[in-house]
Amino acid sequence: MTIIKAVRGTRDLLPPETALWNRIEATARSVFARYNFGEIRTPVFEDTGLFARGVGEETDIISKEMYTWEDRARAQSEKTQSLTLRPENTAGVVRAYIEHGLGESGLLQKLYYIGPQFRRERPQKGRYRQFSQIGAEVIGPPSAGSESPLRDAEVLEMLATLLDELGITGWTLELNSVGSAADRARYNEVLRAALVPVAGQMCADCQRRAVTNPLRVLDCKVASDQPIIETLPKIVDSLDDASKAHFAQVLAALDAAQVPYTRNDRLVRGLDYYTRTTFEFTHGGLGAQNALLGGGRYDGLSDAIGGPRAPGIGFAMGEDRLVLTLQALETAAQTIKADAFIAPIGEGLNPAALALAHELRRAGLRIELGEGSFRLKKSFEAADKTARAIVILGEDELESGILTVKNFSTGMQTKVPRAELAVVLKGPSE
Ligand code: HAM
C-alpha cells in the first residue's frame, strides 16, 4: 500500500522544535501585552471576495496562490459560495473590525493574531504552503489618531523590542513610503511610461508587469534586469507634500527611539492595500526567503471592503522563519530533559510507580514514567536519554520509603527519603 504523507508544502512540527514555537509565541504575547494589544482570532476561511477586494486582484497572492473552492449549497435556500483559505490575516481583521463596529468606540483598536495562513507557492526552505504568522494591526477612525506617524514608529519600535527579546540578532529594518493612493496611481503611470522603451530587454514577467501592474517590476529578482530597474524613476519623487511630511515624521520618531533602519526605494511589497509606510525586517541567515516579517500602513483598506474610513498599520512575522533563524543562531537544539525517570523493578510495582509519578508531578516536576518489565539496564539507558536523574522503585524502597536516586550529571547515587524526593530532584538551582 502506498504510504500517505503530509501534503507538499505542509509540515508536522514535532518536539523538541515545538518547544521553540511555544517560546516564540509566549514572548510575542508578553511583548504585545506590554504595548496594550489584545488578541483577535478570525476564521481560517473567508468569502473569496474579501481577499480579491482587500489584497488586490492583480497581486501574485490573489491571482496565483489562493486555495479557493466552491462551497456547495446544503439546502435549497443556500447559495453556492466561493470560499478561500486565508492567505494573510489583515483583510480578515479589517472585516471583523467593520462587522463588529469596533470603530464606534472612537478608540484605536490594537489587535494581534497568531495562526496558520495558506498560499500555493513553490515550497522551499522558509517557504511553505501552510505557514504561521504572528501579526498585529493598529486601526481606528482618524479621530483616534490612527493616521499619526507616531503609530508607525511605535509599531516598528515594538518589533525591534520583540526581535531583541526573542534573541534574534543581526536583523535589518528596510523602510519606504509608497505614498497615498493618489501618489501610487501617479507613480504607476510614471513607471509605465518609463518602462515603454526598456521593457523589451527585460524578463517575461517584467514585460507583462510593465503593462498590468508596473509597481511589481520593482520586486523583480532577475539579475540582468537589475541595472535597468536602477534607472527607473523613484517613488519618493511622486509623493505629495503630506506623504513626504508623514514619512519624515516616522523617521524622526525612529531616530529618537534609536531604532536603526535603512531606506529602500524599491520596497513596494506584494499586496495592493499599502499606503505610505511600508517595511520589512530581513535576516541574512535565511537565504533566498530572507524576509522575517513585513508590513505597512493601509489607510484605504476598510473603505475598499465597504467599511467606514479606518486607517491602519500592521505587520506579520513568518513564525516558521523566526524558528529557522533561532535554530541557526542557537548552535545545538536544546532537548528538554525530564527532572527524573521513575524505574519500577518488576511489573508488580507499576501501580506504585504511577502513584509516585503522580506525587512528583503534583509537586511541579517533569517526570518520565518507566515500565516494570524492563531490565534495570534498559531502564538506565532510557533514563539517561530522557531525564536528568533516575529514581529506582523496588520492593525494598517501597517498604522503607527510602528511594535510590542517581543523578546523571554528577554521577552520584544517593538514598533519599520519599518526603524529600521532590526537593532533591528539583536541584539547588530552583
Ligand atoms: P507578507 O509580506 O505577505 O505580508 O507576509 C508577512 C511574512 O509572512 C513574510 O515576511 C514571511 O516572513 C511570512 N510568509 C509569507 N509567505 C510565506 C510562506 N509561503 N512561507 C513561510 N512564511 C511566509 C502579509 O501577510 C501582510 N498581511 C502583513 C501586514 C499586516 N501588513 C499590514 N498588516
Side-chain angles (χ1 to χ4, degrees):
M1 256 211 299
T2 49
I3 300 168
I4 298 176
K5 292 190 174 166
V7 173
R8 187 168 136 82
T10 72
R11 305 180 297 152
D12 300 306
L13 304 174
L14 308 171
E17 190 183 304
T18 37
L20 185 53
W21 285 73
N22 285 327
R23 177 159 74 78
I24 290 172
E25 290 169 17
T27 306
R29 287 177 195 282
S30 120
V31 171
F32 291 148
R34 270 179 278 147
Y35 286 76
N36 207 21
F37 280 70
E39 183 174 4
I40 181 168
R41 300 186 191 198
T42 66
V44 162
F45 57 87
E46 300 264 5
D47 192 309
T48 305
L50 172 68
F51 303 114
R53 276 157 65 187
V55 177
E57 233 137 2
E58 283 187 25
T59 61
D60 279 358
I61 296 179
I62 305 308
S63 62
K64 303 186 199 159
E65 296 170 0
M66 292 208 299
Y67 286 96
T68 297
W69 70 98
E70 290 297 312
D71 204 45
R72 285 196 315 269
R74 298 292 300 268
Q76 292 240 302
S77 57
E78 280 182 54
K79 288 202 188 104
T80 303
Q81 199 181 4
S82 176
L83 302 179
T84 293
L85 287 179
R86 62 183 185 198
E88 62 99 57
N89 221 331
T90 309
V93 169
V94 177
R95 178 203 46 71
Y97 171 92
I98 298 166
E99 189 167 334
H100 302 285
L102 299 183
E104 285 158 26
S105 66
L107 300 172
L108 276 184
Q109 300 296 309
K110 297 162 72 177
L111 303 164
Y112 79 87
Y113 48 84
I114 300 177
Q117 318 293 333
F118 306 86
R119 296 182 193 176
R120 194 195 270 104
E121 296 193 79
R122 198 168 49 76
Q124 65 179 83
K125 185 184 165 208
R127 188 164 72 193
Y128 312 100
R129 291 181 167 177
Q130 174 174 336
F131 59 99
S132 179
Q133 284 186 340
I134 300 179
E137 314 291 348
V138 181
I139 177 169
S143 59
S146 56
E147 280 170 304
S148 167
L150 181 58
R151 301 278 75 94
D152 309 40
E154 187 186 23
V155 162
L156 290 163
E157 187 276 322
M158 174 170 81
L159 281 166
T161 300
L162 176 51
L163 291 175
D164 285 349
E165 290 198 13
L166 286 170
I168 294 187
T169 49
W171 48 261
T172 305
L173 161 59
E174 295 187 21
L175 204 58
N176 193 20
S177 174
V178 294
S180 64
D183 295 338
R184 268 180 71 149
R186 197 168 337 115
Y187 180 58
N188 247 322
E189 289 323 307
V190 170
L191 215 47
R192 201 187 299 275
L195 281 163
V196 171
V198 290
Q201 304 152 40
M202 301 182 81
C203 71
D205 274 342
C206 281
Q207 296 192 19
R208 184 175 42 79
R209 292 170 185 142
V211 182
T212 58
N213 196 351
L215 210 62
R216 295 273 83 84
V217 167
L218 304 185
D219 291 335
C220 177
K221 300 276 184 302
V222 175
S224 55
D225 285 356
Q226 302 310 308
I228 301 174
I229 295 172
E230 288 305 318
T231 64
L232 294 172
K234 306 259 185 269
I235 197 162
V236 61
D237 299 320
S238 292
L239 301 189
D240 65 14
D241 288 345
S243 292
K244 277 189 192 146
H246 191 276
F247 194 41
Q249 288 174 57
V250 174
L251 300 184
L254 288 178
D255 289 337
Q258 297 189 315
V259 177
Y261 57 85
T262 317
R263 287 180 59 173
N264 176 352
D265 286 330
R266 279 175 58 178
L267 189 72
V268 290
R269 311 240 326 116
L271 302 96
D272 276 352
Y273 51 61
Y274 289 114
T275 51
R276 297 196 165 165
T277 314
T278 53
F279 57 86
E280 269 177 20
F281 282 69
T282 56
H283 198 278
L286 278 168
Q289 301 305 316
N290 68 351
L292 273 179
L293 69 95
R297 184 164 268 293
Y298 44 84
D299 293 346
L301 178 53
S302 173
D303 316 50
I305 55 179
R309 176 131 183 90
I313 177 155
F315 65 86
M317 334 179 65
E319 197 176 355
D320 305 73
R321 297 187 190 175
L322 295 176
V323 169
L324 283 172
T325 310
L326 282 172
Q327 282 171 334
L329 289 172
E330 290 167 11
T331 35
Q334 289 187 357
T335 311
I336 298 172
K337 287 204 164 179
D339 295 308
F341 180 104
I342 296 174
I345 312 288
E347 279 173 77
L349 283 161
N350 275 345
L354 180 64
L356 179 60
H358 166 87
E359 208 172 290
L360 295 171
R361 287 169 176 156
R362 283 286 172 110
L365 278 85
R366 189 180 182 110
I367 299 295
E368 185 70 27
L369 179 58
E371 158 58 43
S373 65
F374 287 3
R375 306 252 304 272
L376 197 54
K377 183 165 175 276
K378 183 169 170 179
S379 289
F380 263 89
E381 282 168 3
D384 197 18
K385 287 190 190 125
T386 53
R388 294 191 285 110
I390 186 168
V391 177
I392 296 160
L393 183 68
E395 290 291 353
D396 290 352
E397 281 85 359
L398 189 61
E399 263 169 45
S400 65
I402 308 284
L403 295 130
T404 306
V405 176
K406 179 166 179 179
N407 180 318
F408 292 119
S409 50
T410 61
M412 290 236 300
Q413 191 154 315
T414 44
K415 300 271 184 201
V416 181
R418 188 166 179 151
E420 291 168 24
L421 194 57
V423 174
V424 169
L425 289 174
K426 267 186 194 159
S429 58
E430 284 167 77

